[in-house]
Amino acid sequence: MTERLRLGISECLLGRKVRWDGGHKHDRYLTDTLGEWVEWVPTCPEVEIGLGTPRPPIRIVATGKGDRLVVRKTGEDITGRMTAWAEQALEGFAGVDGFVLKKDSPSCGMERVRRHHGDQQVTRDGRGVFAAALLERYPLLPVEEEGRLNDPGLREHFVARVFAYRRWKDFLATGPSAGALVAFHAANKMALHSHHPGEYRALGRLVAGAGTTGLGALLDEYGTAMMHLLRHRATRKRHTDVLQHLAGHLKKEIDAEDRAELAELIESYRQGVVPLVVPLTMLRHHARRHGSEWLRSQTYLQPYPDELMLRNHV
Ligand code: SF4
């Protein structure tokens, strides 16, 4: 990866005072840790449509004509303003590698946003109007809410998807041949396998058919299927399978003592005694010294910078 990641973000998460009450929702993990690798592309949809700061709060109201975005005090329906703005503003996010949204917001919230049914009943099954437009326009884009990123597993999953998406786009930018796609798939084999073995095999069948389909269509189909696959979270069991598979590629290269030590660490990980980083560090050590080119090329071994320490917590 040559340049920093570009991630869209709900602007209040950067600490800017754009919320309805004049405040912000600064998220230190995003700015201070992930921010080291990211160029943020911020937006505050409510400010952008001219509501100002501070402003009267708005909410989602469920009606017979679908969900509407409404100013609580006056009842003004601003859905049209928001969707019209989003339609043109989303063009500006065409090149981003992912998006972090503010949870619970009637504009930015991705899920479980409050929906008001009349004055009495409220359900938590709504989606912010801007978030809905974003997800519809860019269905493959990795998108997550900052609240969910407090969960180490969801955080690792999101960042892995973002880096994978970026690798894919960088790959496409090289003007790849069918042969290059085969090599790309081979290098990502274990990373993809850890998310969903069945869908990984389907991707393999797609690549095997390279040459029978037009290259443009093949790349489109592969990219879509790969990003769908990556929506599945890698489980402890799948990581264990992948680690054992990779260790198998070293069985002739390392001695019995090292093999036993590696197997023990993988088993400790399987049992939840140590985090993923422990067997993985040992595996990488052996792969670097004794591994085949194929083994050393696996993006699974280092899908994102170690400094993010994401595999220390899963
Ligand atoms: S949640 Fe979205 S609309 Fe609300 S202040 Fe943050 S960026 Fe603006």
Side-chain angles (χ1 to χ4, degrees):
M1 217 178 78
T2 48
E3 289 166 12
R4 290 160 86 84
L5 295 168
R6 291 184 79 236
L7 294 188
I9 189 167
S10 297
E11 194 163 353
C12 55
L13 296 174
L14 294 178
R16 299 188 191 156
K17 295 181 174 177
V18 291
R19 295 194 80 219
W20 66 275
D21 59 359
H24 60 75
K25 282 286 177 182
H26 191 181
D27 187 296
R28 291 268 168 209
Y29 172 75
L30 294 173
T31 58
D32 301 357
T33 304
L34 193 57
E36 289 282 312
W37 284 271
V38 171
E39 177 197 335
W40 298 109
V41 187
T43 188
C44 174
E46 293 175 20
V47 168
E48 291 292 339
I49 64 168
L51 294 180
T53 307
R55 54 186 171 271
I58 59 179
R59 63 187 189 181
I60 294 176
V61 176
T63 74
K65 292 183 287 174
D67 287 358
R68 312 299 297 175
L69 196 56
V70 171
V71 179
R72 197 162 73 198
K73 249 191 195 154
T74 62
E76 184 191 356
D77 184 332
I78 55 170
T79 318
R81 264 162 86 183
M82 181 63 85
T83 49
W85 168 78
E87 199 172 315
Q88 53 84 24
L90 281 171
E91 276 309 307
F93 292 96
V96 298
D97 304 310
F99 212 110
V100 184
L101 290 165
K102 170 74 188 73
K103 70 172 181 155
D104 295 336
S105 156
S107 303
C108 293
M110 187 170 77
E111 53 187 47
R112 297 184 307 278
V113 178
R114 283 187 191 80
R115 284 171 80 224
H116 295 257
H117 307 258
D119 280 341
Q120 304 297 327
Q121 202 200 349
V122 178
T123 54
R124 296 214 47 142
D125 56 356
R127 169 167 284 171
V129 175
F130 173 71
L134 173 73
L135 292 164
E136 195 182 327
R137 175 74 72 95
Y138 301 115
L140 302 184
L141 189 70
V143 180
E144 195 46 281
E145 292 182 331
E146 99 291 355
R148 284 165 52 89
L149 293 177
N150 290 323
D151 177 293
L154 294 175
R155 176 185 292 187
E156 195 279 336
H157 185 203
F158 174 66
V159 175
R161 285 166 70 207
V162 166
F163 275 88
Y165 189 45
R166 176 56 177 273
R167 274 194 295 277
W168 174 246
K169 291 195 302 178
D170 284 353
F171 171 71
L172 287 183
T174 64
S177 62
L181 179 63
V182 172
F184 177 91
H185 183 67
N188 286 285
K189 173 175 175 162
M190 289 290 104
L192 297 171
H193 202 282
S194 71
H195 286 271
H196 199 286
E199 291 187 23
Y200 160 73
R201 284 190 287 276
L203 267 182
R205 287 193 291 277
L206 201 59
V207 172
T212 57
T213 333
L215 182 58
L218 176 65
L219 291 170
D220 275 355
E221 204 177 333
Y222 185 93
T224 302
M226 183 185 82
M227 293 313 295
H228 276 288
L229 176 157
L230 290 170
R231 286 191 186 150
H232 300 282
R233 267 175 76 177
T235 61
R236 188 172 290 273
K237 171 159 185 348
R238 288 175 190 159
H239 276 305
T240 303
D241 291 346
V242 166
L243 290 167
Q244 287 169 340
H245 184 93
L246 292 172
H249 281 260
L250 288 162
K251 67 175 183 272
K252 291 195 184 121
E253 283 75 14
I254 58 178
D255 64 27
E257 205 177 315
D258 285 346
R259 272 201 306 277
E261 184 185 28
L262 185 55
E264 214 172 284
L265 291 178
I266 294 172
E267 177 58 16
S268 295
Y269 166 71
R270 189 188 71 77
Q271 292 178 8
V273 178
V274 298
L276 179 57
V277 70
V278 174
L280 198 71
T281 303
M282 183 60 74
L283 190 61
R284 271 167 45 168
H285 166 76
H286 291 309
R288 239 189 334 259
R289 291 168 65 111
H290 311 289
S292 64
E293 201 180 317
W294 177 84
L295 182 56
R296 283 182 280 116
S297 76
Q298 289 305 300
T299 56
Y300 180 82
L301 296 177
Q302 193 176 23
Y304 36 68
D306 289 344
E307 291 87 337
L308 287 168
M309 297 199 296
L310 295 163
R311 286 172 160 184
N312 298 41
H313 306 286
V314 294

